[in-house]
Amino acid sequence: MISYAEFLQRTSFSKEELLAISQGNLVKDPPAEFIRLPAPPMLMVDRVLEITRTGPRGRIVGEQDIHLDDWFFHCHFRGDPVQPGCLGVDAVWQLVGLYISAAGAPGSGRALGCKEVEFAGQIRPYNKVVRYEVDIRRFSQLKESGSAVAIGSAKVLVDGELIYTVKDAKVGMFLGIAYPDYPLKSANSVGGIMDRSEA
């Protein structure tokens, strides 16, 4: 385990460390509410190679190893296996969420959308590595609510070839929305609109 101060200084994460973040046991002294990356099979990144922070801007780069028997090839599609494009977009959101947490914002991450997504290629079972390069154009923390938002645009490459672009992927980090007592019915056990302050 590492300290929260060390976490905030990190510029890379191994697969073991990303798995530990998904299980909530990488950082020994995290904030009361701390990021959880999706656990496998929804964890779409095997390593983070770069995190740079320059004021409200930055960059995060991750990679995903492709395996012949990856779970999505079994069902998408039978007789025509290809990684769903939505999983590549989710990988970008996962990286933007990790960037927010590594920039010091506590809370639980939620994807808030993106603009244009363009697909120019595909990911198939005998590919090797997908690379996600995300340039963060804006990171901001809202003092009143304790929430934070980052917006970044991504290039997605497979074995060195550019196959997707994702413009303005947006992720928010929010306090008070975690649901740690799942499957019990409790305050956060029902979804819907998150901000009901004007309802």
Side-chain angles (χ1 to χ4, degrees), residues 58-192:
R59 179 175 167 88
I60 183 166
V61 177
E63 288 185 342
Q64 168 201 359
D65 296 326
I66 298 298
H67 305 94
L68 179 63
D69 60 348
D70 279 330
W71 64 274
F72 39 80
F73 292 136
H74 295 271
C75 54
H76 187 277
F77 302 96
R78 296 272 175 106
D80 186 20
V82 58
Q83 177 176 304
C86 59
L87 293 181
V89 178
D90 204 82
V92 171
W93 281 322
Q94 291 175 22
L95 287 167
V96 176
L98 180 59
Y99 178 91
I100 295 172
S101 184
S108 300
R110 293 292 186 272
L112 298 176
C114 65
K115 293 183 179 174
E116 296 88 11
V117 179
E118 298 278 347
F119 298 104
Q122 58 184 337
I123 300 164
R124 306 211 79 160
Y126 282 89
N127 282 120
K128 299 298 182 191
V129 178
V130 182
R131 181 179 173 92
Y132 301 95
E133 300 178 351
V134 186
D135 290 312
I136 304 294
R137 71 171 179 83
R138 191 178 87 196
F139 166 71
S140 57
Q141 290 185 275
L142 309 174
K143 291 183 180 178
E144 301 79 31
S145 64
S147 59
V149 174
I151 300 172
S153 292
K155 294 178 182 174
V156 180
L157 302 96
V158 65
D159 298 338
E161 295 181 340
L162 180 64
I163 57 166
Y164 310 169
T165 56
V166 181
K167 185 176 180 183
D168 287 351
K170 184 176 180 182
V171 175
M173 195 69 73
F174 302 95
L175 298 174
I177 65 167
Y179 179 17
D181 54 351
Y182 170 80
L184 301 177
K185 190 169 184 178
S186 61
N188 291 338
S189 59
V190 176

Side-chain angles (χ1 to χ4, degrees), residues 33-60:
E33 297 183 52
F34 189 58
I35 187 173
R36 289 284 178 103
L37 286 171
M42 277 305 298
L43 179 61
M44 295 304 297
V45 181
D46 287 304
R47 68 194 71 82
V48 171
L49 303 172
E50 174 188 348
I51 302 175
T52 56
R53 307 166 186 88
T54 309
R57 296 178 180 267
R59 179 175 167 88
I60 183 166

